[in-house]
Amino acid sequence: MEPTATVLVYSDDANTREQVRLAAGRRPASDVRQVEYLECATLPAVLSALEEYRIDVCVLDGEAAPAGGMGVCRQIKDEIFDCPPVLLLIGRPQDAWLATWSRAEAAVSHPVEPVAFADALAGLLREEERSGAGAA
């Protein structure tokens, strides 16, 4: 059986989590591994998942409440050893500077546009493969 990549999806909104899953599907690009999604609706769930599972990429909703994805990103970059790359969903393109502040590796605008999102996710998965961190 082919190894899969685990993508953590954080949003307090179930519809946003569903948009992420549907935008990238099981394989965001033909040259990356299939994806399994681990959904989290709260910050404690994100922190537990990062401690408990091998996560390849995190997708964080910058518009989540009460803990927004930008703050969550900055926190996990500070607190999680060998933190996985982060794809941040931002409310508008002008918020890209905040994604940089949060130390996210990539950002795409809300609402989730399938092609742009799948390309960004596939790019992070490729980078994980190249670094050797994604080898299962």
Side-chain angles (χ1 to χ4, degrees):
M1 189 163 109
E2 181 181 340
T4 59
T6 302
V7 175
L8 182 147
V9 181
Y10 164 66
S11 179
D12 64 323
D13 184 345
N15 291 325
T16 299
R17 295 192 306 268
E18 181 180 37
Q19 286 176 16
V20 166
R21 284 192 330 272
L22 294 175
R26 290 276 295 145
R27 178 171 259 144
S30 62
D31 63 334
V32 298
R33 295 177 285 159
Q34 286 193 8
V35 171
E36 290 182 12
Y37 296 98
L38 177 62
E39 294 185 37
C40 297
T42 65
L43 175 57
V46 170
L47 298 175
S48 292
L50 286 168
E51 292 291 329
E52 196 171 326
Y53 300 103
R54 168 79 178 89
I55 305 296
D56 295 289
V57 174
C58 294
V59 177
L60 307 178
D61 180 4
E63 304 298 309
M70 292 180 209
V72 171
C73 181
R74 192 157 173 100
Q75 179 178 346
I76 65 175
K77 292 294 183 177
D78 285 342
E79 296 179 2
I80 303 296
F81 175 74
D82 201 20
C83 184
V86 173
L87 172 54
L88 196 57
L89 302 176
I90 57 177
R92 53 198 185 121
Q94 296 88 339
D95 292 337
W97 72 273
L98 287 167
T100 301
W101 168 84
S102 72
R103 294 187 266 169
E105 283 77 8
V108 294
S109 295
H110 241 311
V112 177
E113 195 282 309
V115 173
F117 179 81
D119 285 347
L121 180 58
L124 293 177
L125 290 169
R126 285 184 200 105
E127 187 59 37
E128 277 294 284
E129 284 291 319
R130 278 193 291 274
S131 71

